[in-house]
Amino acid sequence: GLEALPMAQRRTFRVEKAQAGWSLERCLTAELNEQPAQAAARVRTGAVYVGGRRCQEPDRPLREGEVVSVVLEAAGKAPGPSF
């Protein structure tokens, strides 16, 4: 589980009015400044939560005020060897 990854970083943001109706993929692409394919892959692998619940649908439309959490891989983010 997540507790086994103490170095894992989490990014949490609230959907703003301007983003309401955007797909989860589009919102992540903007928030994380990455390619749509990367964002969609994050969602499909179960690393994204909407309102505290895992969401694996990249095309899910978001509503204003929803809280999105993304678990970012620890590999490459922290100093030291990655196993």
Side-chain angles (χ1 to χ4, degrees):
L2 294 179
E3 61 281 349
L5 297 170
M7 298 304 292
Q9 296 181 347
R10 187 172 299 203
R11 174 81 179 271
T12 301
F13 61 90
R14 188 177 297 274
V15 178
E16 297 173 19
K17 188 171 187 175
Q19 299 168 322
W22 285 16
S23 69
L24 182 54
E25 176 189 299
R26 180 178 174 193
C27 202
L28 289 177
T29 298
E31 288 288 334
L32 301 177
N33 193 27
E34 62 186 12
Q35 297 299 313
Q38 283 179 284
R42 271 188 208 283
V43 177
R44 290 195 187 95
T45 58
V48 180
Y49 296 78
V50 179
R53 300 180 66 169
R54 177 174 282 157
C55 180
Q56 292 179 278
E57 303 166 41
D59 58 353
R60 179 199 188 282
L62 296 172
R63 293 189 299 272
E64 179 184 357
E66 283 188 304
V67 176
V68 179
S69 295
V70 185
V71 177
L72 304 171
E73 296 83 8
K77 302 275 190 244
S82 56
F83 298 102

